[in-house]
Amino acid sequence: GIRSGYGTFRFASGAMYQGQWVNNMKQGEGRYTYEDGNVYSGQFIGDSMADPSASRYHSTSVNGAVNIGGEDNPVRRCMDITDLEAFCLPKDRVAGPDLS
């Protein structure tokens, strides 16, 4: 189908767009999160950032995507970071070693 209205798209690179879509193009208010965690938040016109020279800022959000495999790996895939919750250590084991 054709993307139209508000939605989220996750790119294979790990980048993500959240915002308005019109006829399958990013259009209007949106937020583009780069693979490195930097974020552009602002207007999109005709599938492009309205002000690509605008400064990016680093997101401190814990939510995001993790890429499995190197950039040159054709089998690279992207997963949501919440998929890794099952692998987290219990809170009592997160602290570092006792140095006293």
Side-chain angles (χ1 to χ4, degrees):
I2 295 177
R3 294 181 204 106
S4 189
Y6 184 86
T8 300
F9 184 82
R10 294 178 190 270
F11 298 88
S13 67
M16 179 176 65
Y17 173 76
Q18 293 175 290
Q20 296 295 322
W21 295 89
V22 175
N23 293 326
N24 237 15
M25 293 191 301
K26 298 181 283 294
Q27 181 74 32
E29 191 66 31
R31 174 183 167 110
Y32 186 89
T33 305
Y34 293 86
E35 185 175 304
D36 64 4
N38 286 325
V39 176
Y40 167 85
S41 185
Q43 289 292 316
F44 286 80
I45 299 172
D47 213 33
S48 298
M49 295 172 192
D51 185 7
S53 65
S55 62
R56 299 189 216 181
Y57 65 91
H58 187 71
S59 174
T60 57
S61 173
V62 175
N63 295 329
V66 176
N67 286 307
I68 308 300
E71 283 189 34
D72 57 342
N73 184 350
V75 190
R76 190 172 189 193
R77 73 181 183 111
C78 187
M79 68 168 66
D80 193 84
I81 199 151
T82 56
D83 294 337
L84 301 175
E85 287 178 1
F87 299 105
C88 293
L89 293 173
K91 289 186 186 244
D92 61 342
R93 300 189 65 197
V94 173
D98 183 10
L99 301 175
S100 55

